[in-house]
Amino acid sequence: MKFMLLSAFVAVAVADQLREHVPIVSESRQEFANGVSGSSFESANGIKFQQQILAGDVGQSNAEGSYSYPDEFGNLVEVRYIANENGFQVEGTHLPVAPQAPAHVARLLQIAEEQRAAGIFFE
């Protein structure tokens, strides 16, 4: 439920930036057994949202979904996400990607692991 509200707030924020009345052209909601549900909508200006709520492995609710919208240049921005026991994971080609760590970092992590295995700990 919290994920649906968060997603709805994202859609409202995008629509608020446009500052115009945008009709919803389609909307769907489904509820199934065991707490499984789904919802989706599409607006006249190209915003699309879809989400499924699933039962998690450790008693929580998991969410999987996506939304898309046209940016100010007319390009379609697509975001996919999963929220589960491993946290919130988001994917999108428009999102920045951190540069790869230098090779010496891998060696330092290996040394640290060897020290922990040998019983050497630092505070």
Side-chain angles (χ1 to χ4, degrees):
M1 183 66 174
K2 291 179 185 178
F3 299 113
M4 286 179 30
L5 290 174
L6 173 65
S7 300
F9 284 127
V10 169
V12 169
V14 171
D16 185 49
Q17 289 181 359
L18 299 174
R19 302 201 187 280
E20 64 183 67
H21 175 73
V22 180
I24 301 297
V25 295
S26 68
E27 181 179 13
S28 173
R29 297 177 191 201
Q30 307 88 28
E31 291 195 28
F32 305 102
N34 302 328
V36 176
S37 64
S39 62
S40 65
F41 75 83
E42 181 177 354
S43 64
N45 63 355
I47 297 173
K48 296 179 183 178
F49 165 81
Q50 68 86 24
Q51 176 175 265
Q52 299 83 35
I53 303 296
L54 311 165
D57 294 337
V58 290
Q60 82 285 0
S61 293
N62 294 342
E64 295 181 15
S66 65
Y67 59 90
S68 63
Y69 58 92
D71 68 9
E72 63 271 14
F73 305 109
N75 300 315
L76 187 64
V77 177
E78 296 181 271
V79 178
R80 293 167 307 286
Y81 63 89
I82 297 174
N84 59 21
E85 61 275 0
N86 297 318
F88 184 72
Q89 304 143 58
V90 64
E91 295 178 358
T93 57
H94 67 292
L95 298 174
V97 177
Q100 191 171 15
H104 71 274
V105 172
R107 177 67 182 131
L108 290 172
L109 292 171
Q110 181 185 6
I111 291 169
E113 184 60 37
E114 291 169 359
Q115 289 174 338
R116 281 191 292 274
I120 301 171
F121 296 93
F122 299 95
E123 291 184 22

